[in-house]
């Protein structure tokens, strides 16, 4: 069975301004499969299944809280695909059961191999070893970003998204914004909110997208994965005001920065803005466990 395309609702976030803001709810695709991860995996998995229908086996990489690991494991369960996660950090070897993302991934049938941060950094070396060991496996890079992933992102754009002036997304490895940029309308401007402090991202996105209709905006607040108290407050206020859950690593940082830009009149009057809610909600319980240990405010869960 192959992955289907799915239709996604768009909801308005009312502002007291002459600007319209909407959220496209890719987060509603599945509780463990962040919206953009689904689209990034669609062509990767379907084209692999075209050639390997017998014993499909998917290997991929990620940190212990990774939305991509969670997505691959959940898809493996749903479509009967064997999955192996190469996890950054040997320390999780003995305590993966305490990590909600890994615990659920394992429950979905994923096996793990834990590697040191140094081994993890050498992706080419690791991939070579895995290719030798598992000749028929599909090996998907970290975050799922490759050319197939960029093609799959086209399904985030529909007839309905064509009327917007701005398309906004959080940026990690750059695959999602590359796809949005590649398939956007001529009149649309694409804004990427960087949650990692990585200066190579612009050229990487440009190469994957082949268009320069995008801009990258810093939204990392220090470093990847950092959760500030201000960010938690923003996410909780947003939830109270609009009834929509954001995640602390991607969509919370994007929306906070986007609200600041709206307040500072970055957008001309009359602008119609569409932000993609890419999901990431599976990571909240893990984040809350860390916050609890630090005696800090928690993220409300709807
Ligand atoms: C992975 C992820 C992103 C970033 O996607 P990239 O293609 O890696 O840039 C954005 N939002 C969420 C919720 C994600 O899980």
């Amino acid at each position: 069975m192959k992955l289907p395309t799915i239709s996604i609702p768009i909801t308005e976030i009312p502002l007291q301004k002459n600007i319209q803001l909407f959220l496209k709810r890719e987060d509603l695709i599945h509780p463990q499969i962040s919206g953009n991860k689904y689209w990034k995996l669609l062509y990767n998995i379907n084209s692999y299944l075209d050639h390997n229908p017998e014993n499909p086996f998917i290997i991929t990489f990620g940190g212990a809280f990774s939305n991509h690991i969670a997505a691959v494991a959940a898809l493996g369960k749903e479509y009967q695909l064997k999955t192996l996660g190469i996890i950054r950090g040997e320390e999780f070897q003995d305590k993966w059961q305490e990590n909600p993302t890994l615990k659920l991934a394992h429950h979905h049938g994923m096996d793990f191999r834990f590697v040191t941060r140094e081994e993890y950094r050498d992706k080419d070396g690791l991939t070579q070893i895995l290719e030798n060991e598992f000749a028929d496996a599909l090996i998907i890079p970290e975050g799922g970003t490759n050319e197939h992933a960029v093609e799959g992102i086209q399904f985030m754009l529909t007839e309905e998204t064509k009327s917007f002036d701005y398309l906004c997304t959080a940026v990690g490895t750059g695959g999602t914004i590359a796809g949005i940029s590649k398939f956007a309308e001529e009149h649309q401007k694409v804004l990427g909110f960087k949650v990692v402090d990585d200066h190579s991202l612009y050229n990487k996105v440009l190469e994957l997208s082949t268009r320069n209709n995008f801009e990258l905006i810093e939204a990392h607040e220090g470093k990847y994965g950092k959760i500030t108290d201000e960010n938690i407050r923003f996410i909780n206020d947003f939830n109270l005001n609009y009834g929509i859950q954001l995640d602390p690593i991607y969509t919370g940082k994007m929306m906070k920065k986007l609200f600041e830009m709206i307040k500072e009149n970055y957008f001309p009057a009359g602008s119609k803005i569409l932000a993609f809610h890419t999901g990431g909600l599976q990571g909240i319980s893990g984040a809350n466990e860390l916050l609890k240990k630090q005696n800090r405010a928690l993220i409300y869960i709807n």
Side-chain angles (χ1 to χ4, degrees):
M1 194 164 69
K2 296 222 255 173
L3 276 60
T5 58
I6 302 167
S7 128
I8 308 290
I10 294 178
T11 46
E12 182 161 17
I13 305 297
L15 303 174
Q16 321 291 8
K17 270 207 165 223
N18 186 11
I19 281 178
Q20 285 180 291
L21 173 62
F22 290 79
L23 263 185
K24 187 155 182 278
R25 303 292 307 278
E26 312 287 343
D27 59 306
L28 298 175
I29 286 182
H30 188 286
Q32 270 81 47
I33 305 171
S34 290
N36 66 327
K37 299 299 188 286
Y38 181 82
W39 301 118
K40 289 168 79 171
L41 289 165
L42 182 84
Y43 281 126
N44 275 299
I45 293 180
N46 283 350
S47 64
Y48 170 73
L49 292 178
D50 281 341
H51 301 105
N52 297 273
E54 288 302 321
N55 292 303
F57 183 33
I58 300 177
I59 304 174
T60 197
F61 306 87
F65 297 90
S66 164
N67 293 329
H68 172 66
I69 288 289
V72 170
L75 283 171
K77 164 87 176 162
E78 214 146 304
Y79 294 91
Q80 284 105 48
L81 318 164
K82 204 172 141 211
T83 56
L84 172 66
I86 310 299
I87 308 299
R88 181 180 58 224
E90 270 184 320
E91 69 272 21
F92 291 101
Q93 176 91 51
D94 306 316
K95 53 172 189 182
W96 60 264
Q97 288 97 331
E98 294 167 29
N99 174 289
T101 299
L102 296 180
K103 196 173 165 191
L104 193 54
H106 180 79
H107 179 72
H108 287 150
M110 183 177 263
D111 286 325
F112 301 128
R113 216 176 257 192
F114 297 90
V115 300
T116 64
R117 276 148 221 276
E118 199 180 352
E119 286 168 322
Y120 191 88
R121 226 170 289 132
D122 178 21
K123 288 283 155 38
D124 293 341
L126 258 181
T127 304
Q128 194 63 56
I129 291 169
L130 293 164
E131 275 173 358
N132 292 341
E133 194 173 338
F134 306 104
D136 295 327
L138 169 64
I139 302 179
I140 302 178
E142 181 180 41
T145 288
N146 57 18
E147 282 175 22
H148 274 320
V150 171
E151 291 302 306
I153 293 294
Q154 67 180 285
F155 296 107
M156 286 169 56
L157 301 173
T158 64
E159 259 327 289
E160 250 188 302
T161 67
K162 285 184 180 169
S163 67
F164 289 89
D165 305 307
Y166 294 90
L167 303 174
C168 304
T169 184
V171 178
T173 60
T176 304
I177 188 177
I180 294 172
S181 157
K182 181 168 183 179
F183 296 101
E185 298 299 302
E186 209 58 58
H187 70 91
Q188 292 179 314
K189 172 117 199 226
V190 182
L191 301 181
F193 294 79
K194 271 170 63 178
V195 302
V196 272
D197 187 11
D198 174 357
H199 296 285
S200 68
L201 264 173
Y202 186 86
N203 285 331
K204 185 178 174 189
V205 174
L206 193 61
E207 195 173 307
L208 285 167
S209 144
T210 69
R211 293 173 82 188
N212 64 358
N213 55 354
F214 68 92
E215 192 179 317
L216 294 182
I217 291 157
E218 306 285 340
H220 54 76
E221 301 183 0
K223 66 174 195 43
Y224 177 73
K226 182 171 172 182
I227 305 174
T228 64
D229 289 337
E230 221 187 320
N231 198 259
I232 295 169
R233 212 172 307 127
F234 178 85
I235 290 169
N236 288 339
D237 285 347
F238 193 90
N239 196 345
L240 280 175
N241 291 334
Y242 307 110
I244 295 172
Q245 179 93 65
L246 300 173
D247 83 291
I249 312 296
Y250 293 97
T251 57
K253 289 183 177 173
M254 168 183 72
M255 290 309 287
K256 181 162 166 282
K257 184 75 190 176
L258 184 55
F259 269 38
E260 285 165 17
M261 289 165 68
I262 290 171
K263 203 165 151 202
E264 290 159 10
N265 297 316
Y266 175 95
F267 300 98
S271 297
K272 232 181 131 185
I273 307 165
L274 181 65
F276 291 93
H277 190 325
T278 42
L281 306 182
Q282 70 82 28
I284 295 176
S285 48
N288 271 343
E289 282 185 19
L290 290 179
L291 292 169
K292 219 181 286 171
K293 280 187 195 146
Q294 299 167 353
N295 268 322
R296 294 171 57 197
L298 304 186
I299 300 162
Y300 311 139
I301 300 182
N302 294 10

